[in-house]
Amino acid sequence: MNELDRFHIDIYKLSNSSHEYDFEFGDAFFTEQEGSIIEKGSGDVHVELEKNESFIKMTIQINSKVELVCDRSLDPFDFDIDIVRNIIFKYGEEEIELDDEVVMITRDTQRLNLAQYIYEFIGLEIPMKRLHPRFNDDNNDDELVYSDEDRKVEEDETLSDPRWEALKKLKENN
């Protein structure tokens, strides 16, 4: 069985009322996604579904922890995600995504697979700049952090560079 098949909801059997579903996922959820930006993670999903004659409204609550790699230190770290998103499935003539929160489905659609939506909601929460939590106290994330020892080593290397010595001799001769 495909890992993503666990996220199917058979909507043709549902009565026009409220329904609730709970899902759990782990590393396999992310590895099954094609071109995934996340390799490791786990979490749970709670779905509140309200079905009526013209549409299905879902409220999807995701509590997850994914492993990211710091852009600065290349150290892995856990990133917590706690989000609530709404999505509406409207009945229409064709299956098409109208916008971020509204998807049109045909009346003969028998099941919905929420795996792609859950993955996209998680992916949207991943920051562009991934910094390990130990760097959160830095005032300016764009600057590199140098210790006094790093600066001293850099100065020593500059002073002992033979090219600088040759330039100093030229300067002294003039």
Side-chain angles (χ1 to χ4, degrees):
M1 179 176 157
N2 184 345
E3 174 69 19
L4 304 181
D5 289 343
R6 296 186 311 109
F7 297 91
H8 282 303
I9 295 179
D10 293 325
I11 58 173
Y12 70 93
K13 296 186 215 177
L14 297 178
S15 61
N16 289 340
S17 62
S18 296
H19 307 274
E20 292 188 17
Y21 299 90
D22 289 304
F23 303 100
E24 291 183 357
F25 59 90
D27 294 343
F29 174 77
F30 296 108
T31 57
E32 289 286 325
Q33 300 289 339
E34 188 173 324
S36 178
I37 60 172
I38 303 167
E39 294 180 13
K40 294 182 180 179
S42 62
D44 56 69
V45 179
H46 178 74
V47 178
E48 294 176 5
L49 181 146
E50 183 179 323
K51 182 179 179 190
N52 64 39
E53 292 297 322
S54 58
F55 66 90
I56 298 171
K57 179 183 177 187
M58 288 188 196
T59 301
I60 302 172
Q61 181 178 357
I62 304 170
N63 295 312
S64 175
K65 185 176 287 199
V66 296
E67 183 178 283
L68 301 178
V69 176
C70 177
D71 292 336
R72 184 179 291 175
S73 66
L74 299 179
D75 291 336
F77 67 96
D78 288 336
F79 183 76
D80 292 325
I81 295 173
D82 187 15
I83 54 173
V84 176
R85 295 283 189 264
N86 293 315
I87 190 164
I88 296 173
F89 295 92
K90 292 177 68 173
Y91 294 111
E93 298 297 318
E94 60 182 341
E95 292 189 10
I96 188 169
E97 189 171 319
L98 300 175
D99 66 25
D100 293 342
E101 295 181 355
V102 181
V103 177
M104 187 178 298
I105 58 174
T106 60
R107 289 221 176 257
D108 61 347
T109 300
Q110 295 190 11
R111 68 171 39 165
L112 297 173
N113 189 326
L114 301 183
Q116 185 64 34
Y117 298 106
I118 294 167
Y119 174 75
E120 288 176 6
F121 293 150
I122 292 171
L124 289 172
E125 293 299 309
I126 303 298
M128 292 293 287
K129 191 168 194 175
R130 301 170 191 171
L131 289 178
H132 195 283
R134 72 172 177 256
F135 295 117
N136 285 345
D137 295 335
D138 293 348
N139 292 336
N140 191 350
D141 292 335
D142 295 331
E143 292 182 15
L144 292 176
V145 178
Y146 289 110
S147 67
D148 289 336
E149 289 178 21
D150 291 336
R151 287 191 182 103
K152 183 171 175 47
V153 168
E154 189 175 287
E155 288 172 8
D156 290 345
E157 288 173 354
T158 303
L159 293 177
S160 65
D161 189 345
R163 294 174 291 182
W164 289 114
E165 296 299 324
L167 287 173
K168 284 183 186 178
K169 286 181 185 176
L170 284 172
K171 185 178 177 182
E172 290 172 6
N173 291 339
N174 286 336

